[in-house]
């Protein structure tokens, strides 16, 4: 007798062909009743004529064939016996149980576009994949699967499924079946992009459901095709910074690409504003503590207020007014490296709004700092009504509001720059 296939697992369809034997038994009215594999009874599901080409003939001959489906068994090689209606038995050969084993399903959850890798042993039961279910849907098999590796992609048919849980299920063309680890289908989405407008440096918060963000490496986020820098990621929020190179006055898609192969798109989710432009700074030269007005357009880059301002590489000690067209600050101390943690570089003017949008001017002639003035006071003492002359080593930077002498406010009689 010949057995095809000679190995498999639970559910595998097995055929036994025994030339002449079945015919001779049939002449005596004896029919096969069951097959015993490793001592376990198996029901015969088919006993029929098939065309068989024998090794000594080029033409097919008609032979009887028994067909049965293997039940669950222990791994290893086991004897196959055919039981007949006259209580006789016939050893038909040996058949090997190949125990299936799923070692991993990674990731264990995902959404549309996720690529899942299944590893193990004897995954497809000696044949090819007839059906494969994952999380209750049928994914696309990405390559020629093997007994040890199967890679699939969850496609559009699961795009609206959220939280659906289902085991991995594989059915082979041999009839072998395999149930494995659970997989959860999730519906990832983008619910908001805030702010939806901005310029270079704007910190954009993308909210939604991003379960795939748990997988390393971190997701890649582009705005208008430009790769952003990522500040923070979680299952529900991703924060990025708008990079250089944006096209002014255009809307753009926000795209999140995850490590598992899935992606999300917020169509026209962000609008690039025209870059900020500084047209004037007054006064241009002054010691620290001076009120300075910065004029221009789109100075806040879509933000609500100016959070940080640097002039001549020095952080302003206070922002007193901020609009898109006018920002007023009090200059800082050049001897201090930073003002409340503000980072200034060599750019002459830097304006950072509450959204992180940044306006910079690199012209070194725009703002310069004067050293603190050296004052001389004569006379050094006196009484009520004494005229006091205060001289400075450099021109007064602006209009003098008031003067105090020894803690007492004095009346200013004259101001002149020599």
């Amino acid at each position: 007798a010949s057995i095809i296939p000679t190995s498999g697992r639970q559910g595998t369809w097995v055929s036994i062909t025994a030339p002449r034997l079945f015919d001779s038994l049939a002449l005596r009215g004896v029919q096969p009743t069951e097959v015993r594999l490793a001592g376990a009874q198996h029901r015969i599901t088919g006993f029929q004529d098939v065309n068989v080409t024998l090794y000594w003939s080029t033409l097919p001959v008609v032979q009887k064939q028994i067909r049965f489906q293997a039940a669950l068994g222990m791994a290893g090689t086991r004897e196959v016996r055919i039981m007949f209606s006259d209580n006789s038995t016939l050893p038909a050969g040996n058949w090997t149980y190949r125990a299936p084993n799923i070692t991993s399903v990674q990731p264990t959850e995902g959404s549309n576009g996720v690529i899942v890798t299944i590893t193990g042993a004897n995954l497809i039961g000696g044949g090819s994949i007839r059906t494969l279910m994952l999380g209750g849907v049928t994914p696309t098999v990405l390559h020629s699967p093997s007994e040890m590796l199967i890679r699939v992609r969850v496609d559009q048919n699961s795009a609206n499924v959220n939280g659906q849980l289902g085991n991995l299920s594989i059915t082979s063309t041999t009839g072998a079946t395999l149930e494995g680890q659970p997989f959860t289908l999730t519906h990832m989405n983008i619910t908001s992009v805030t702010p939806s407008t901005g310029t270079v440096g704007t910190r954009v918060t993308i909210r939604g459901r991003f379960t795939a963000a748990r997988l390393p490496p971190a997701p890649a986020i582009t705005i208008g095709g430009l790769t952003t820098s990522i500040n923070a990621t979680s299952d529900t929020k991703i924060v990025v910074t708008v990079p250089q190179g944006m096209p002014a006055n255009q809307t753009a898609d926000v795209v999140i690409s995850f490590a598992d192969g899935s992606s999300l798109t917020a169509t026209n989710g962000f609008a690039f504003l025209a870059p900020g432009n500084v047209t004037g700074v007054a006064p241009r030269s002054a010691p620290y503590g001076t009120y300075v007005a910065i004029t221009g357009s789109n100075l806040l880059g879509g933000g609500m207020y100016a959070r940080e301002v640097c002039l001549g590489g020095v952080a302003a000690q206070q922002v007193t007014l901020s609009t898109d067209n006018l920002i007023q600050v009090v200059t800082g101390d050049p001897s201090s490296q930073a003002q409340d943690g503000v980072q200034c570089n060599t750019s002459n003017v830097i304006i950072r709004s509450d959204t992180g949008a940044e306006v910079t001017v690199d012209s070194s002639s725009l703002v310069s700092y004067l050293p603190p003035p050296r004052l001389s006071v004569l006379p050094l003492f006196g009484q009520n009504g004494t005229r006091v002359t205060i001289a400075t080593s450099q021109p007064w930077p602006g209009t003098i509001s008031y003067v105090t002498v020894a803690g007492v406010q004095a009346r200013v009689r004259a101001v002149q720059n020599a």
Side-chain angles (χ1 to χ4, degrees), residues 124 128-129 141 143-151:
I124 53 179
S128 58
I129 295 175
V141 179
H143 67 105
S144 298
S146 70
E147 296 286 4
M148 295 185 294
L149 176 66
I150 301 173
R151 295 183 75 235

Side-chain angles (χ1 to χ4, degrees), residues 122-144:
N122 302 312
L123 296 175
I124 53 179
S128 58
I129 295 175
R130 175 176 290 163
T131 61
L132 190 151
M133 300 291 290
L134 188 66
V137 300
T138 302
T140 298
V141 179
L142 294 182
H143 67 105
S144 298

Side-chain angles (χ1 to χ4, degrees), residues 115-196:
I115 296 174
V116 181
T117 300
I118 305 161
T119 58
N122 302 312
L123 296 175
I124 53 179
S128 58
I129 295 175
R130 175 176 290 163
T131 61
L132 190 151
M133 300 291 290
L134 188 66
V137 300
T138 302
T140 298
V141 179
L142 294 182
H143 67 105
S144 298
S146 70
E147 296 286 4
M148 295 185 294
L149 176 66
I150 301 173
R151 295 183 75 235
V152 298
R153 181 185 65 241
V154 178
D155 291 319
Q156 294 287 346
N157 54 3
S158 66
N160 296 319
V161 177
N162 187 26
Q164 179 171 307
L165 176 67
N167 287 344
L168 167 67
S169 174
I170 304 172
T171 301
S172 170
T173 53
T174 65
T177 59
L178 178 61
E179 293 286 335
Q181 300 173 7
F183 183 86
T184 303
L185 283 170
T186 57
H187 176 40
M188 295 194 299
N189 61 355
I190 296 175
T191 57
S192 67
V193 178
T194 308
S196 58

Side-chain angles (χ1 to χ4, degrees), residues 169-393:
S169 174
I170 304 172
T171 301
S172 170
T173 53
T174 65
T177 59
L178 178 61
E179 293 286 335
Q181 300 173 7
F183 183 86
T184 303
L185 283 170
T186 57
H187 176 40
M188 295 194 299
N189 61 355
I190 296 175
T191 57
S192 67
V193 178
T194 308
S196 58
T197 60
T199 58
V200 174
T202 299
R203 292 186 307 276
V204 178
T205 300
I206 308 167
R207 297 185 183 274
R209 182 179 175 87
F210 316 121
T211 53
R214 304 173 188 171
L215 301 173
I221 294 94
T222 61
I223 301 179
L226 301 173
T227 300
T228 65
S229 58
I230 300 175
N231 305 108
T233 61
S234 71
D235 285 0
T236 57
K237 182 175 73 173
I238 299 176
V239 181
V240 300
T241 300
V242 176
Q244 294 278 355
M246 59 184 185
N249 300 315
Q250 291 187 24
T251 57
D253 294 345
V254 179
V255 180
I256 308 174
S257 299
F258 298 97
D260 63 6
S262 58
S263 64
L264 293 173
T265 300
T267 304
N268 295 328
F270 188 82
F272 293 120
L273 300 176
N277 180 39
V278 175
T279 57
V281 177
R284 293 194 175 195
S285 299
Y288 71 87
T290 302
Y291 282 88
V292 174
I294 306 169
T295 55
S297 59
N298 200 25
L299 297 178
L300 300 179
M304 298 295 293
Y305 61 89
R307 179 170 52 89
E308 300 172 355
V309 175
C310 297
L311 293 173
V314 179
Q317 58 178 292
Q318 185 181 2
V319 179
T320 59
L321 175 68
S322 57
T323 69
D324 257 344
N325 301 312
L326 173 64
I327 294 176
Q328 189 177 60
V329 301
V330 178
T331 57
D333 185 353
S335 64
S336 175
Q337 296 298 314
Q339 177 73 28
D340 295 329
V342 178
Q343 297 299 314
C344 298
N345 54 30
T346 57
S347 295
N348 201 249
V349 178
I350 301 176
I351 302 169
R352 296 189 185 101
S353 74
D354 57 309
T355 63
E358 193 169 283
V359 178
T360 60
V361 179
D362 293 327
S363 173
S364 60
S365 63
L366 194 58
V367 175
S368 61
Y369 274 85
L370 296 176
R374 296 190 302 273
L375 301 179
S376 62
V377 180
L378 290 175
L380 296 178
F381 56 89
Q383 58 186 1
N384 183 30
T386 301
R387 290 177 178 267
V388 179
T389 300
I390 304 172
T392 179
S393 58

Side-chain angles (χ1 to χ4, degrees), residues 64-97:
K64 290 291 187 180
Q65 184 183 81
I66 291 175
R67 197 161 187 256
F68 71 96
Q69 194 169 20
L72 180 63
M74 297 293 291
T77 301
R78 302 289 186 267
E79 182 186 43
V80 179
R81 299 189 71 89
I82 305 172
M83 313 302 292
F84 293 94
S85 57
D86 63 353
N87 294 324
S88 62
T89 66
L90 172 70
N94 294 321
W95 198 79
T96 302
Y97 272 109

